[in-house]
Amino acid sequence: FVHYRDYRDVKLEDIITPIQKGNSALMKVQQLQSAFLKNNNGEFEVIPLPREAQYFPIYAIKAIDLNEDGNLDILLCGNISATQPDFGSYDAGVGLVLMGSGNGNFTPMRPDKSGFVVLGEGRDIGILKEANSGDLIYFVARNNQSVLTFKKNEP
């Protein structure tokens, strides 16, 4: 029976040969924040999303004008539990709505205010228009869990 702790002191040289190491590439991470690219006349600017969007890994994102003010808003969800035991799960996300101002700034809405609460591992967000009323219905697919549905409330 093998335990994770049996491998805690293993070095890279114990796993791969010098030839394999010589054929590998060294890569460096430049950006760890969740962000979006703003197109300024063909020049792209990286704009980090608000702090609330940095608390969890984002796996699903949908841009839509939720409040019909002409500015795109963003629905986000994510999380992941399949991580190394030493790190634990990345599950601080409960779904997030970011209201867009139209100039690249987004204001987070508290989940109790937005009603968009996604527990578990959100993986995709879809939108359908209801046939009879024309209302939008939001679907959130979650890993190993049921699909969630949300309907936009009128102000």
Side-chain angles (χ1 to χ4, degrees), residues 6-70:
D6 295 336
Y7 295 97
R8 70 178 172 219
D9 297 322
V10 174
K11 295 178 179 62
L12 182 63
E13 293 77 23
D14 298 330
I15 299 171
I16 65 170
T17 68
I19 293 172
Q20 289 172 319
K21 187 175 179 183
N23 290 333
S24 62
L26 176 63
M27 298 184 176
K28 294 183 180 182
V29 174
Q30 301 294 323
Q31 173 72 276
L32 289 175
Q33 291 182 328
S34 294
F36 72 95
L37 297 175
K38 182 179 179 182
N39 185 348
N40 294 321
N41 297 321
E43 294 288 325
F44 289 95
E45 178 183 2
V46 176
I47 308 228
L49 292 172
R51 180 177 19 160
E52 291 81 353
Q54 309 303 329
Y55 296 154
F56 60 98
I58 297 169
Y59 285 93
I61 185 168
K62 184 63 75 176
I64 186 168
D65 185 2
L66 292 169
N67 59 355
E68 300 174 5
D69 64 354

Side-chain angles (χ1 to χ4, degrees), residues 38-155:
K38 182 179 179 182
N39 185 348
N40 294 321
N41 297 321
E43 294 288 325
F44 289 95
E45 178 183 2
V46 176
I47 308 228
L49 292 172
R51 180 177 19 160
E52 291 81 353
Q54 309 303 329
Y55 296 154
F56 60 98
I58 297 169
Y59 285 93
I61 185 168
K62 184 63 75 176
I64 186 168
D65 185 2
L66 292 169
N67 59 355
E68 300 174 5
D69 64 354
N71 301 319
L72 285 177
D73 308 303
I74 301 175
L75 298 170
L76 302 167
C77 60
N79 294 331
I80 187 167
S81 60
T83 60
Q84 293 182 8
D86 287 0
F87 298 129
S89 296
Y90 301 122
D91 59 358
V94 294
L96 183 61
V97 175
L98 300 175
M99 301 306 293
S101 64
N103 62 2
N105 293 320
F106 291 90
T107 303
M109 284 184 77
R110 291 183 7 192
D112 62 331
K113 182 95 166 144
S114 71
F116 186 71
V117 177
V118 180
L119 302 178
E121 300 180 0
R123 290 296 178 265
D124 197 10
I125 301 171
I127 301 173
L128 288 177
K129 189 176 278 194
E130 198 171 67
N132 295 333
S133 67
D135 291 340
L136 297 180
I137 300 174
Y138 307 93
F139 293 88
V140 177
R142 298 180 297 165
N143 195 27
N144 296 320
Q145 289 183 294
S146 61
V147 171
L148 297 175
T149 59
F150 299 90
K151 188 172 181 181
K152 183 177 135 185
N153 290 330
E154 294 303 319

